[in-house]
Amino acid sequence: MRPGLRKRIALRLFADMYADKVARHELRTLFWEMTLRCNLACRHCGSDCRADSSVADMPLADFLKVLDEEITPHVRPKDVLIVFSGGEVLVRDDLEEAGRAVTERGYAWGMVTNGMLLTEKRLAGLVDSGLRSLSVSLDGFADTHNYIRRNPLAFDRAVAAIDAVVARPALAFDVITCVTSPMVPRLGEFAGWLVSRGVRSWRIFSIFPAGRAEGDDTLSLSNEEFRAVLDFIVRTRRQGRIDVSYACEGFLGDYEAEVRDDFYQCAAGVSVASIRVDGSISGCTSVRSDFTQGNIYRDHFWDVWQNRFEPFRNREWARTGECAECDMFRYCQGGGMHLRDNDRHLMYCHYKKLL
C-alpha cells in the first residue's frame, strides 16, 4: 500500500530529521553480546546459539575496560542504555555483577530473556543490581510457543517470568512476540490474555529467512497474513487496551506511524552499536551479516564509532536490485541492516509484501 499525499509529506519531514540524526550519530544504545550460549534452540534463531557454544563468553573485565577507557570519556552515561544480550544472558553467573558494575558507572541497563531461568529470586537480585528494563519473549499460546522454542517447558517458564516482572511495576517491561501463521487469527484472543496477566506493552515482529529460519516455511507469513497482522495492530492501538507496536523491522508504506509511534528508521550504526562476544564492533545485534567495523581487541571503540560506520550511515550502496528504482528508497534507505546478507543483498522487503 503506497503512502498517500499527507503521509508522504510527513515522511519527507521525518527523513530530514533522520538525516540530521545520522550526521550527529550520538550513541544512545549499546548492546553487549555477553554470551552465545543458550538453553533453547529456537527455530527462528538468527545467531544459531546453543548450550555448548564453541565461542567463549566475553570476560566482564574486557567489556568494562572498553566502557571505562573508550566510551565513558565521550558520553554522558545517563544518556546511554546498555543492553545485555546473547544467547540467553541468564546463563551467565556474573550477570548481577555486570549489572552492578555498569550501574555504578552511571549507566542504565536492560536485557532480553526467554524466561527459562528468570525466577522471582533471580529477578530480585537483578533489580538490586540496577536492572531498569526487561523484555520477555513469548510467541503465542503454549502449542505455538513451545513449537518455536523446541521445549515443552518454554511457555510455562516464560509465563512465570512475565508474572514475576508484572509484580514489579517500576521496571520498564514488554513482551516480544514473533508471529507465525497459527497465531494470526488468534492475535485478538492473545492480546486479551496478555492484558489479563497485567502486560501493558507488547512488541510484534515477523520472521525473515536467515539463520535457522532459512528454508523453514512453517515460520513465514503470507502477504495476506502479514497485512492482517498490521491491520490488527492498527485496530488494537486505536482501542487502547494494550500498547502494541510492530518492531523496527522494515518500511511499511501507508502503515507508517499507524503501527508504531514513529516512522520507520534503522538506528543500527546511527544511535545503536554493539560489542559482540568475540569483540567485533557493529550495529545492533540483530545485524547478523558481516557488517563488522572493528574489534575491541585491536581497535579503539570510539574511533570506530566516529569514523568507520559509513555503510550504516550512507546507504546509497543499497540502491541496487529491487531497491534501485523504488520510489520509497528515500524513506526506507533499503531496509533494515539486519535484512542484508553477507553480499549485502536484500533478503526480505516488508514494503513489497504490502503491494
Side-chain angles (χ1 to χ4, degrees), residues 281-293:
I281 302 169
S282 187
C284 75
T285 51
S286 294
V287 182
R288 304 312 308 186
S289 299
D290 187 13
F291 283 96
T292 298
Q293 304 303 302

Side-chain angles (χ1 to χ4, degrees), residues 43-303:
R43 295 178 185 275
H44 66 304
C45 182
S47 53
D48 198 22
C49 301
R50 59 194 69 194
D52 59 345
S53 174
S54 60
V55 181
D57 295 352
M58 179 183 287
L60 174 58
D62 292 4
F63 175 72
L64 294 178
K65 183 176 186 294
V66 175
L67 193 65
D68 289 341
E69 299 178 7
E70 302 176 21
I71 297 177
T72 301
H74 304 281
V75 302
R76 294 193 304 175
K78 67 177 183 178
D79 293 336
V80 180
L81 173 67
I82 295 178
V83 180
F84 297 156
S85 71
E88 169 55 48
V89 296
L90 287 171
V91 302
R92 282 193 61 144
D93 295 333
D94 64 348
L95 181 59
E96 289 83 355
E97 180 185 354
R100 286 192 297 271
V102 300
T103 299
E104 289 167 359
R105 288 159 170 80
Y107 293 91
W109 68 278
M111 54 179 272
V112 181
T113 179
N114 58 36
M116 291 290 289
L117 299 175
L118 191 62
T119 62
E120 291 185 7
K121 181 179 179 180
R122 189 82 193 267
L123 179 60
L126 293 168
V127 171
D128 289 344
S129 300
L131 178 67
R132 298 276 293 278
S133 65
L134 179 65
S135 297
V136 176
S137 297
L138 185 66
D139 299 324
F141 294 112
D143 52 349
T144 299
H145 183 78
N146 290 345
Y147 171 78
I148 294 175
R149 303 288 165 170
R150 289 175 167 172
N151 189 303
L153 300 177
F155 178 79
D156 289 342
R157 295 281 181 84
V159 172
I162 288 169
D163 289 345
V165 178
V166 166
R168 293 179 174 271
L171 277 176
F173 164 66
D174 66 359
V175 167
I176 306 175
T177 298
C178 159
V179 176
T180 50
S181 292
M183 280 303 299
V184 174
R186 303 188 70 185
L187 285 173
E189 179 188 0
F190 191 56
W193 182 86
L194 289 174
V195 170
S196 73
R197 313 271 334 178
V199 175
R200 293 176 292 182
S201 186
W202 183 25
R203 265 185 297 158
I204 286 175
F205 71 99
S206 52
I207 296 174
F208 62 97
R212 293 196 192 121
E214 186 175 4
D216 188 342
D217 294 337
T218 68
L219 302 176
S220 61
L221 298 178
S222 68
N223 292 358
E224 293 74 19
E225 288 172 329
F226 182 56
R227 186 181 293 276
V229 170
L230 298 183
D231 287 338
F232 163 78
I233 294 174
V234 171
R235 291 194 306 271
T236 305
R237 286 171 66 89
R238 289 173 180 169
Q239 293 166 357
R241 58 176 175 160
I242 188 171
D243 181 12
V244 60
S245 63
Y246 190 74
C248 55
E249 288 283 302
F251 180 75
L252 300 173
D254 205 43
Y255 285 99
E256 286 297 317
E258 305 295 330
V259 295
R260 308 184 187 100
D261 293 338
D262 295 308
F263 291 99
Y264 168 75
Q265 59 177 305
C266 181
V270 176
S271 60
V272 177
S274 68
I275 297 176
R276 299 196 182 280
V277 70
D278 64 352
S280 297
I281 302 169
S282 187
C284 75
T285 51
S286 294
V287 182
R288 304 312 308 186
S289 299
D290 187 13
F291 283 96
T292 298
Q293 304 303 302
N295 192 291
I296 64 167
Y297 294 113
R298 64 172 183 268
D299 302 305
H300 191 283
F301 178 93
W302 200 253
D303 176 66

